[in-house]
Amino acid sequence: MEITHYQRLYTQLKSQIQSGHYKEGDLLPSENELGSQHRIARMTVRRALTELANEGYIRKVKGKGSIVSATRKSLGLLSFKGFSEVVGAEHQVKTMTLRAPTVMAWPDRFFYALSQEEQQAGCVTLERVRFVNDEPIMIEYTYLPQMGLIDFCESPFVDGSLFKTLSLNYQTEITNIEQDIRAVTADEVTAFLLKVKPLTPLVQLYRRYHTSRPDYYVYSHLYCNTEQYTISNFQ
Amino acid sequence: MEITHYQRLYTQLKSQIQSGHYKEGDLLPSENELGSQHRIARMTVRRALTELANEGYIRKVKGKGSIVSATRKSLGLLSFKGFSEVVGAEHQVKTMTLRAPTVMAWPDRFFYALSQEEQQAGCVTLERVRFVNDEPIMIEYTYLPQMGLIDFCESPFVDGSLFKTLSLNYQTEITNIEQDIRAVTADEVTAFLLKVKPLTPLVQLYRRYHTSRPDYYVYSHLYCNTEQYTISNFQ
DNA sequence: TAGTGGTCTAGACCACTAA
DNA sequence: TAGTGGTCTAGACCACTAG
């Protein structure tokens, strides 16, 4: 058995909540109903619902049912999923590439200490602006050590996703994220790109992604406009 | 039935781990063994063990058993540990209490949707400023639903820590954190408290801590001055 | 091969909600 | 009173670990 019953039900209900098929305050079908619909035992249904409740998607009320919780208008940006995977489910997302992947020297005063190997390898840089519902929300500068990235600059990304490309073409899985968070005021360039007034407060993130390749990290540096959307994080 | 079987087993095992009867690396008795010792079904044992695993006290290994974990879950400021535990190791930390725990009504337009029960229960509020190396770095407004917090406002915190107090005196463990992050400019009061100029950009966090008590959440709202220190996060 | 945890079933009784 | 979620049982088969 590849995927388990409770996982399938959990995934299905979660996506139905995220897509708006079940809205805030709605009652899910009862445990017995879900069980007979999917031809699984009630205890198996309960396992899926318990997981959803632990993650805050629903709350269970004895004698009443499972109630869909408020969905937050927020971008789950602090997880280590790629941008499109995280935000795309609930919002329309576009990416504009300011600089396609380019081999360069590392910037001076890089925000993380680099190993000698990374220094010598050089880096691939790309710059992108992320749009949510046609508003520019985030500028991202990404830096990858130029180690084993054959044809990386020449071929387009798989599904437009950096992380999918690393996974499928370079067997490099993102396993972890380490990040530093600051509040800063927008400089002129950043304000122009995010279409905000200069001095607007932005969240600045320095990130180091850990990967399944030993000693291989992906770095990124980004600014987020949080006036309309917040950055959300759930551990 | 006042206390449930899985709760009793959970509590017993947890205290045996905390007291050192089971040490790091030890195997707990198997699920079948615990079941026959306590004359309860294996599924009931599993529920207690699953809870312990979720909270990081043990890890379960298929084919082997349940292994007692190291006691510390180390993480950065965005983790769900209390402030003193996280920052205190490397920096000198002090806390100034602006408002000691006080029973109040909930603020208008609270940042998370509250359940009816939480609304009716009222809340305990406290306000604290955190200092790192004698600089005010963070203002934290904490809100706890006034449910079962007997003598909470009358007694001091255990070791000065809210989370230790909740754990030891109220059997409430923090299990998870959900948070929204924004950049804002300091208003006058906040600027004064953090000793920064008005309009300085600050990181604003809205937090909802999940706990081991069903449907019991702790809320907090905080401002961080990130000019000197950043907020770090490692998943 | 014996023992372990992972998943699952088909029942059961209870306390609670809402009509 | 009918239906709901909370707890619990006594089985079952599986994949995995370790001797």
Side-chain angles (χ1 to χ4, degrees):
Chain A
M1 189 180 300
E2 179 73 343
I3 192 163
T4 60
H5 292 164
Y6 78 84
Q7 280 174 338
R8 182 180 300 112
L9 179 58
Y10 162 83
T11 306
Q12 183 190 317
L13 290 172
K14 191 165 95 171
S15 74
Q16 285 178 318
I17 291 171
Q18 286 172 335
S19 73
H21 182 266
Y22 293 119
K23 296 176 188 61
E24 177 182 352
D26 284 358
L27 280 174
L28 294 186
S30 76
E31 297 179 349
N32 286 317
E33 218 166 316
L34 286 170
S36 57
Q37 278 173 15
H38 294 79
R39 302 174 175 283
I40 55 181
R42 185 177 158 225
M43 285 300 287
T44 308
V45 173
R46 281 182 64 71
R47 174 136 185 207
L49 293 181
T50 298
E51 211 118 320
L52 287 171
N54 285 341
E55 294 176 7
Y57 288 98
I58 61 173
R59 60 178 209 282
K60 298 159 139 200
V61 180
K62 194 195 289 194
K64 201 171 174 197
S66 298
I67 304 170
V68 176
S69 300
T71 54
R72 287 157 287 126
K73 180 186 179 184
S74 60
L75 316 175
L77 283 180
L78 281 187
S79 69
F80 53 81
K81 302 236 183 207
F83 185 77
S84 328
E85 299 169 62
V86 175
V87 180
E90 296 169 48
H91 301 281
Q92 183 213 329
V93 168
K94 279 192 305 196
T95 300
M96 185 174 82
T97 302
L98 296 183
R99 172 157 55 201
T102 313
V103 179
M104 298 180 61
W106 291 96
D108 289 344
R109 306 187 310 276
F110 196 64
F111 51 90
Y112 273 101
L114 296 167
S115 71
Q116 274 206 349
E117 283 147 359
E118 287 175 319
Q119 282 281 7
Q120 291 165 0
C123 80
V124 176
T125 301
L126 56 155
E127 299 181 12
R128 292 176 293 179
V129 184
R130 314 291 205 155
F131 293 77
V132 178
N133 299 331
D134 290 321
E135 300 285 339
I137 292 300
M138 184 168 119
I139 308 177
E140 182 166 17
Y141 303 87
T142 309
Y143 307 88
L144 303 101
Q146 172 60 311
M147 301 157 75
L149 297 182
I150 298 160
D151 283 338
F152 186 82
C153 298
E154 284 68 38
S155 354
F157 286 169
V158 178
D159 290 349
S161 161
L162 169 63
F163 285 179
K164 271 196 191 169
T165 307
L166 287 174
S167 170
L168 294 175
N169 296 352
Y170 302 95
Q171 288 72 52
T172 304
E173 308 289 339
I174 304 298
T175 56
N176 246 325
I177 182 172
E178 193 180 342
Q179 53 194 353
D180 285 311
I181 301 170
R182 280 187 184 78
V184 297
T185 52
D187 59 38
E188 267 188 45
V189 174
T190 308
F192 172 74
L193 291 171
L194 291 179
K195 290 186 187 160
V196 296
K197 292 176 193 152
L199 305 185
T200 300
L202 303 175
V203 173
Q204 180 188 49
L205 299 170
Y206 290 122
R207 292 180 160 181
R208 182 159 76 156
Y209 297 99
H210 298 224
T211 73
S212 52
R213 276 172 67 185
D215 296 322
Y216 191 82
Y217 301 98
V218 176
Y219 301 90
S220 98
H221 169 206
L222 42 93
Y223 295 98
C224 295
N225 173 5
T226 56
E227 288 180 316
Q228 210 181 335
Y229 302 96
T230 64
I231 303 170
S232 80
N233 174 229
F234 186 45
Q235 292 184 339
Chain B
M1 189 181 298
E2 180 73 344
I3 192 163
T4 60
H5 292 163
Y6 79 86
Q7 280 174 337
R8 181 181 301 109
L9 179 57
Y10 162 84
T11 306
Q12 182 190 316
L13 290 172
K14 189 166 95 171
S15 74
Q16 285 178 318
I17 291 171
Q18 285 173 333
S19 72
H21 181 267
Y22 293 118
K23 296 176 189 62
E24 178 183 349
D26 284 359
L27 280 175
L28 295 186
S30 77
E31 298 178 349
N32 286 316
E33 217 167 317
L34 286 169
S36 58
Q37 280 173 14
H38 294 80
R39 302 173 176 284
I40 56 181
R42 184 176 159 226
M43 286 299 287
T44 308
V45 174
R46 281 183 62 72
R47 171 137 188 205
L49 293 182
T50 298
E51 210 117 323
L52 288 172
N54 286 341
E55 293 175 8
Y57 289 99
I58 61 173
R59 61 176 209 282
K60 299 159 135 196
V61 180
K62 194 195 288 194
K64 204 170 172 196
S66 298
I67 304 169
V68 176
S69 301
T71 45
R72 278 282 159 154
K73 305 172 245 179
S74 75
L75 286 175
L77 190 51
L78 281 186
S79 73
F80 49 82
K81 289 282 179 186
F83 185 78
S84 328
E85 297 169 64
V86 175
V87 181
E90 297 169 44
H91 301 280
Q92 181 212 329
V93 168
K94 278 192 306 196
T95 299
M96 186 174 82
T97 300
L98 295 183
R99 171 157 55 201
T102 314
V103 178
M104 297 180 61
W106 290 97
D108 288 343
R109 306 188 307 278
F110 196 65
F111 50 93
Y112 274 101
L114 297 167
S115 71
Q116 275 206 350
E117 284 146 359
E118 288 175 318
Q119 282 281 8
Q120 291 165 0
C123 80
V124 176
T125 300
L126 54 156
E127 300 181 12
R128 293 176 293 181
V129 183
R130 314 292 204 156
F131 294 77
V132 178
N133 300 331
D134 290 322
E135 300 285 340
I137 293 299
M138 186 168 119
I139 307 177
E140 181 166 16
Y141 303 88
T142 308
Y143 307 88
L144 304 102
Q146 173 60 310
M147 302 156 75
L149 297 182
I150 297 158
D151 282 341
F152 185 83
C153 299
E154 284 68 38
S155 356
F157 287 167
V158 177
D159 291 349
S161 161
L162 169 62
F163 286 177
K164 270 197 191 169
T165 307
L166 287 175
S167 171
L168 293 174
N169 295 354
Y170 302 96
Q171 288 70 51
T172 304
E173 307 288 340
I174 304 296
T175 55
N176 248 326
I177 182 174
E178 193 181 340
Q179 52 194 354
D180 286 309
I181 302 170
R182 279 187 184 77
V184 297
T185 51
D187 59 38
E188 268 188 42
V189 175
T190 308
F192 173 75
L193 292 170
L194 291 178
K195 290 187 186 159
V196 296
K197 292 175 194 153
L199 304 185
T200 300
L202 302 175
V203 173
Q204 182 188 47
L205 298 172
Y206 290 122
R207 293 180 160 179
R208 180 159 80 155
Y209 297 99
H210 297 224
T211 73
S212 53
R213 276 174 65 187
D215 296 321
Y216 192 81
Y217 302 99
V218 176
Y219 301 90
S220 98
H221 169 205
L222 41 92
Y223 294 99
C224 295
N225 173 5
T226 56
E227 288 180 316
Q228 213 180 335
Y229 301 96
T230 64
I231 303 170
S232 74
N233 173 230
F234 186 45
Q235 292 184 339

